[in-house]
Amino acid sequence: QAQLVESGGGSVQAGGSLRLSCAASGYTFSNYCMAWFPQPPGKEREKVAVINGGGYTTSYADSVKGPFTISRDNAKNTLYLQMDILKPEDTAMYYCATGVRCFLVREAKYTYWGQGTQVTVSS
């Protein structure tokens, strides 16, 4: 049974940094692309960063391009999201997910999701 477990969230002041982790188990981690989806209060989840199985191709939403960096360590079965220069509007529950066709919009299919980790940025 595949499982994803996020960690690393917390409360930080604007301009600060956090590093989220997503530990995977129960499947061949390196075979699948992964993504991060923040869900702000009262809003839908929105994909902001994607990485391929090998870890050498990434894509970002314009809103996070620059301050956020997605990476993965396939030896440790772990996905990361380095978040710098955080803003209050980055406040959200952050979910990681794995699946196929992650770089596509309509065709992407995410099979497994984590439970989320809360990020709160104060001004």
Side-chain angles (χ1 to χ4, degrees):
Q1 179 74 14
Q3 187 176 19
L4 301 176
V5 179
E6 300 96 334
S7 61
S11 297
V12 63
Q13 288 191 329
S17 299
L18 283 173
R19 188 194 196 201
L20 306 184
S21 298
C22 172
S25 62
Y27 71 103
T28 305
F29 182 70
S30 59
N31 282 1
Y32 299 93
C33 53
M34 298 196 73
W36 286 99
F37 291 77
Q39 184 170 16
K43 297 184 179 180
E44 294 186 355
R45 297 179 192 182
E46 181 181 355
K47 182 171 60 180
V48 296
V50 182
I51 190 167
N52 74 329
Y56 48 82
T57 303
T58 59
S59 179
Y60 299 90
D62 288 341
S63 60
V64 303
K65 198 173 294 183
F68 286 17
T69 304
I70 188 171
S71 63
R72 64 192 296 163
D73 185 337
N74 286 347
K76 295 181 178 180
N77 286 359
T78 303
L79 173 74
Y80 303 100
L81 184 67
Q82 177 67 42
M83 305 187 295
D84 297 320
I85 319 175
L86 283 162
K87 301 174 288 187
E89 49 264 45
D90 294 321
T91 294
M93 183 71 79
Y94 282 73
Y95 298 90
C96 63
T98 187
V100 295
R101 301 184 293 276
C102 301
F103 290 85
L104 303 179
V105 177
R106 296 184 181 86
E107 295 84 357
K109 180 178 180 181
Y110 294 95
T111 309
Y112 298 105
W113 294 79
Q115 82 291 347
T117 186
Q118 178 67 40
V119 172
T120 302
V121 184
S122 58
S123 58

